[in-house]
Structures are given as structure tokens and as C-alpha cells.
Amino acid sequence: MARPLIYNGTARRLFLHRHGLATAPNGAARGDALAAVIQDLGFVQVDSVNTVARAHDMILWSRRQAYKPASLRWLNDRKRAVFEHWTHDASVLPVAFFPHWRLKFARDAARLRERWKNWHGSAFHAEIDRVLAHIGDHGPVGSGDLADKRPEKSTGWWDWHPSKTALEYLWRSGELSVSRREGFRKIYDLSERVIPPEALNARHPAEETIDWACAGALDRLGFATSGELAAFWDLVQPDEAKTWVAEALASGRVMEADIALAGGGQRCVILRPEVMDGLADLPAVAPRLRILSPFDPALRDRNRAERLFGFHYRIEIFVPEAKRRYGYYVFPVMEGDRMIGRIDMKCDRSAGGLDVSAFWPERGVKTGRGRIRRLEAELERVARFTGCADIRFAPGWLRVP
């Protein structure tokens, strides 16, 4: 029996609805409302680059333009409704996920323990224990706070990195949690002092966590391959995701379909039968123009974004300036359910202005007056969000081919 075909436009609508980008970015953006946005997304990536706004702040602002960065800090530092840990990268996650992250803690601890033991020798465990004891006795620390705590006799490992290595290991293994950030510096404390007891004390068997992770990834993606399920949180291994898909297909929890790709061709995916049944009633995507973070969850999987939207994006931070095609940190631009281009901009915080260097429309995207007005309106919203008093356009900023 032939698999049903899901047209590309329908697939994009489903994907954007699941990622909070199909409706206008209105609504409350504090407390429980903000926690619900993070719950729906599954994670929000944290990144240090601050040319305009940090990635986590821009991701949340793109969905709720009433959002203020202090609201996320309160959610983590005071309410403890979220915690910070590793997915494919450092991310903010709902604290209710903490018990399932114990599988990742255990796997990361084993991998890092072996790697660093081989790297730094027998001193590894003693230094880990010493850092943990220091925090237990003296309270939260950042990586620089232990810099003057070196042993009199060189240990090799400790001299290589006096605090960061130990703190990173203890955080990745779950013994420490990020209590807060000062600027962008992580402040670590014992997890028992940070994570609420109901999340700290809960335990799940590995097979339960694997089921939870695969099912949750599918619900947030709308449709996926087993590889995409494994990569979503980077919590389960590819073979575990394959086994989950096979069992879910056999039990009827999921079904197969073909997705029509933006560049032509099709890709076999799985989705829930009830999702397939509801595609005809899926609302249209709001026509809003949005400037997105390069680390937006909708674009994190660059290959999936290219297959679905025909949008090839690679960040060029680590590309030598002379070899960059676009710029150091260029923001994707979406209008409705279509990726229409990318924009190079940054905040000049000393002068209080938002500097726009260039906008490159995608091939086939017209840059008429209406679209430019919509882009300028979004830039005005970005300026308000970042505290920039005005917008300054560089000569020749509109790069029409």
C-alpha cells in the first residue's frame, strides 16, 4: 500500500505550528506563560553571541514580543521552573524534564570520565572531589572563583584548567546545576540546592526515558525520521530511536508518510495518525515577517530546514572574514511560511543604534515597497527590544541580485 503524500506547504504549516511560529507573536511572556512557551518548544538554546540579542532571548521574543530577558532569569533563578543543561548544545529546559536527563547525566559522566582520566591521569578524581567539596562547604561558584585554589604541587590536570574542567564535568554529570548567570558566566551549585525536590528525587527507567524522549520529539516536530528523533534532544542513541520507531509502527502509535521536499523529491517520515487526519484543518500561517535567531529551534537542524524550506544556512562566525559569503552573524528572515532572506545587523550599544549592513533576499523573493516596509517594521520592533534608539542603514544595504 502506497504511503500518503504530504505536500510541502502543508508540512511547513505543521512544522511552524509545532514551533510556535505560525501565529502572531502576541500574548503574555512572563511566569507560567513563558514557561509554557519553553515547554511547547522542548528547549531553548543558550548562546553567548550578543551582536543584537542573545540567542535564548531572541528565540523567546520571536514568539512573544512582550518578552523581556529578566523574565527568563526570574524563571530560572527564583521560580526554578527551568534548568540549564545540554541537548545538542547548552539549553534551557523545563525543570520537569530533569528526571529524564539522568540518562544523559550517566552517559555523559561515563564518557567524560574516561576521556579526562586518559587525558589528565590519576589526579582527575581527586580534583573532582575537591571541587565538589568546596562548593558543598562554601556555596555557589563560577569558573574563575577557584582559579587561586591550585594545589601547591602541580597535578597536570588542575594546572591545565583550574576550575572549568571540574565544573563542566560535575555539571554534565548532574551533580551540579546552574544556579544563575552573572553576565553570561555560569554560577554552579549543588543540584540538591537548585532543583526542586519533586524533580530532583524522581527517577525513570532508561526505557521509559527513551519512550518519553522519542514521543516528545515527534510531537514537537510534527513528523520526523528516527535520526531526527534522536537528534532533537540528543538524549537517546540512534539505534534506540530506530527501535522505538519500529515498535511504534507495529503498535499503530505512528504511521509512515512521504513529505514533498522544497527542492523536489520525497522523504519518508513517521507521524501520529491523528496528526495526519487533522492536516486538512490545519490553520494557515500568519503572514507576519520575523527576524529569527540563527539558533532558533525551527532552524537548528540545518539539513531539515533546507529540505523543508529550501533555505541553506550556515553560520560564519568561524569562517575567516575574507571567505564569508554573508557575514559574521547573519539572521534568517521568515515571512509567513517562507524563508525570504537573511540580514546582517548589530547593535552599536555605545551609540544606541541598530546598524543594518545588508539584507540578501532569497532567489525569487521580490523586494517591493510592501515587503521592505514590513522588514523595516520588524527592524523597529528589534530596535525597541534591544533598546536601540534608531536604525541606521548602510549604503547599498539592499543586496538585490
Side-chain angles (χ1 to χ4, degrees):
M1 185 176 179
R3 291 187 295 264
L5 175 65
I6 300 174
Y7 293 111
N8 182 256
T10 303
R12 279 183 281 151
R13 284 203 308 276
L14 174 59
F15 182 67
L16 292 174
H17 273 285
R18 295 302 173 99
H19 279 75
L21 292 172
T23 56
N26 304 324
R30 297 187 297 173
D32 291 344
L34 182 60
V37 174
I38 299 171
Q39 172 81 27
D40 289 345
L41 290 173
F43 66 89
V44 173
Q45 183 172 339
V46 176
D47 191 73
S48 62
V49 178
N50 197 22
T51 57
V52 174
R54 299 201 193 277
H56 44 288
D57 292 325
M58 196 154 189
I59 289 165
L60 294 168
W61 174 81
S62 295
R63 290 154 175 84
R64 294 285 189 278
Q65 290 195 345
Y67 168 78
K68 303 294 182 187
S71 298
L72 181 59
R73 292 195 295 271
W74 182 85
L75 212 57
N76 182 86
D77 302 357
R78 301 289 298 278
K79 191 174 183 181
R80 302 299 190 197
V82 297
F83 75 107
E84 189 175 321
H85 214 270
W86 209 258
T87 55
H88 64 291
D89 211 318
S91 298
V92 172
L93 299 138
V95 77
F97 293 2
F98 187 87
H100 289 295
W101 245 249
R102 289 193 176 279
L103 179 63
K104 193 170 187 66
F105 298 158
R107 289 175 172 178
D108 280 1
R111 177 173 54 83
L112 295 174
R113 187 185 304 117
E114 191 63 26
R115 176 193 298 175
W116 287 344
K117 184 178 70 174
N118 293 339
W119 200 353
H120 305 298
S122 59
F124 174 76
H125 291 296
E127 298 297 352
I128 290 292
D129 292 343
R130 197 168 75 84
V131 171
L132 192 60
H134 177 88
I135 294 172
D137 292 342
H138 300 286
V141 300
S143 60
D145 298 335
L146 297 174
D148 60 346
K149 308 295 183 181
R150 301 187 186 194
E152 293 181 6
K153 185 177 180 181
S154 174
T155 64
W157 172 81
W158 187 255
D159 289 344
W160 173 73
H161 208 306
S163 59
K164 183 61 176 175
T165 303
L167 291 171
E168 183 77 7
Y169 172 81
L170 290 165
W171 175 54
R172 294 286 292 270
S173 63
E175 295 190 70
L176 298 182
S177 291
V178 177
S179 175
R180 66 185 188 277
R181 282 185 181 260
E182 293 180 353
F184 198 69
R185 188 176 70 126
K186 294 197 290 282
I187 304 299
Y188 303 87
D189 201 354
L190 301 179
S191 289
E192 62 199 59
R193 296 174 182 163
V194 176
I195 305 300
E198 59 272 20
L200 180 72
N201 298 325
R203 299 289 190 278
H204 298 287
E207 59 271 17
E208 187 175 316
T209 288
I210 292 166
D211 179 67
W212 172 88
C214 290
L218 181 59
D219 289 339
R220 288 167 176 84
L221 292 168
F223 54 87
T225 64
S226 66
E228 289 167 343
L229 296 182
F232 183 80
W233 276 308
D234 196 25
L235 183 57
V236 304
Q237 297 171 354
D239 60 330
E240 293 169 339
K242 285 182 180 179
T243 298
W244 185 88
V245 167
E247 293 174 351
L249 283 167
S251 66
R253 292 173 65 188
V254 303
M255 61 177 288
E256 289 184 327
D258 287 325
I259 297 290
L261 306 180
Q266 300 172 6
R267 184 174 174 84
C268 180
V269 297
I270 61 161
L271 72 165
R272 296 192 184 276
E274 58 270 26
V275 172
M276 187 73 195
D277 293 341
L279 290 179
D281 300 321
L282 197 63
V285 174
R288 180 67 169 262
L289 187 148
R290 309 171 198 252
I291 298 174
L292 302 177
S293 165
F295 298 109
D296 195 282
L299 300 172
R300 181 199 66 79
D301 186 336
R302 310 291 194 209
N303 293 329
R304 181 182 171 104
E306 190 166 355
R307 287 191 296 266
L308 196 57
F309 296 98
F311 184 68
H312 178 84
Y313 181 88
R314 298 294 183 271
I315 200 159
E316 296 183 293
I317 289 175
F318 303 110
V319 176
E321 185 173 0
K323 296 183 178 181
R324 289 174 190 152
R325 183 177 177 186
Y326 298 108
Y328 172 79
Y329 195 83
V330 174
F331 296 82
V333 182
M334 172 182 285
E335 187 172 17
D337 67 352
R338 184 183 183 191
M339 301 303 302
I340 65 164
R342 60 203 83 203
I343 191 165
D344 187 4
M345 61 181 186
K346 64 179 180 179
C347 287
D348 181 349
R349 291 181 169 83
S350 61
L354 179 66
D355 292 332
V356 178
S357 300
F359 171 68
W360 295 269
E362 287 290 279
R363 181 177 299 176
V365 171
K366 296 180 180 179
T367 51
R369 291 182 181 178
R371 177 161 281 140
I372 296 303
R373 281 197 298 267
R374 292 191 292 275
L375 176 60
E376 290 171 344
E378 178 73 347
L379 287 168
E380 289 170 3
R381 291 187 284 266
V382 171
R384 287 195 295 271
F385 174 58
T386 56
C388 292
D390 61 354
I391 304 169
R392 302 187 292 251
F393 294 90
W397 70 277
L398 184 56
R399 306 290 180 87
V400 180

